[in-house]
Amino acid sequence: MNQLAQFDAWSAGQNYEQYMGRWSRQIAAKFLPWLAPPENVRWLEIGCGTGAFTAHILGKCAPRSVLAIDASKDFVAYAQAQVIDQRVRFETADAAKLPAPDASVDVVGSALVLNFVPDRVTALAEMKRVLRPGGLLGFYVWDYPGGGMGFIDAFWKAAAEIDPQAAELDEDRRFPFCTRDGLTKLCREAGITATVEPIAIETVFSDF
Ligand SMILES: C[S@@+](CC[C@H](N)C(=O)[O-])C[C@H]1O[C@@H](n2cnc3c(N)ncnc32)[C@H](O)[C@@H]1O
């Protein structure tokens, strides 16, 4: 675990749902129709977390099967308990070493994960390796440098005002590549030709 990754405490399922899962679900509802994957095909999901994106794949994309992996065994256990479907199998694994043979899946999907993976190019190359020729790869991340996730951006800006050292934890500094050009370049380095499009949602809170 690198020094900053210790702050990405990906293990408490219920907390994660309140913090991020509910927003990820809203992006998934827009992202999957945009991706327009074929039905009755083999999916691999990278970084399933609590299963927010997994549930959308199962509910909206009529997959034949979904192998959903995550580096956190706690999240895998949570997702397994929440997403009950005979077509899905959850497994603890690293994005940089996918538990699937070459050219064995039709669609690779990933939601809000790539920026947290230390070796992103290796992870993208792994996704390409397991994808059959002509297969589909789609992922989304927040556009941190553009102030993309408003409440997170506001939190870190306020934290840095109180404690200047907190500025180094601000995600726009940690993930400067989460831009159209940055993501296109990362994909190119992994041998993938990418189309990068913005997707926006409103994060509405009932009270402060
Ligand atoms: C922000 S959460 C996204 C979870 C879920 N996909 C969603 O949309 O709500 C990031 C997830 O990526 C996982 N993750 C981070 N690094 C990973 C890696 N190297 N390999 C696999 N999963 C990883 C974390 O454990 C966490 O579940």
Side-chain angles (χ1 to χ4, degrees), residues 84-102:
I84 310 293
D85 191 303
Q86 286 189 337
R87 295 166 298 175
V88 70
R89 181 160 60 88
F90 292 97
E91 217 175 284
T92 307
D94 196 305
K97 200 173 174 212
L98 295 173
D102 295 357

Side-chain angles (χ1 to χ4, degrees), residues 10 16 21 24 45 47-49 52 69-72 75 93-95 111-113 116-117:
W10 305 124
Y16 175 83
S24 186
E45 186 199 350
C48 61
I69 67 111
D70 198 284
S72 157
F75 267 5
D94 196 305
L112 304 179
V113 176
F116 297 109
V117 177

Side-chain angles (χ1 to χ4, degrees), residues 56-109:
H56 267 272
I57 296 168
L58 290 163
K60 304 289 180 194
C61 301
R64 189 189 317 164
S65 61
V66 181
L67 171 58
I69 67 111
D70 198 284
S72 157
K73 63 176 177 19
D74 292 344
F75 267 5
V76 166
Y78 184 94
Q80 231 156 10
Q82 295 295 316
V83 184
I84 310 293
D85 191 303
Q86 286 189 337
R87 295 166 298 175
V88 70
R89 181 160 60 88
F90 292 97
E91 217 175 284
T92 307
D94 196 305
K97 200 173 174 212
L98 295 173
D102 295 357
S104 61
V105 299
D106 304 293
V107 182
V108 173

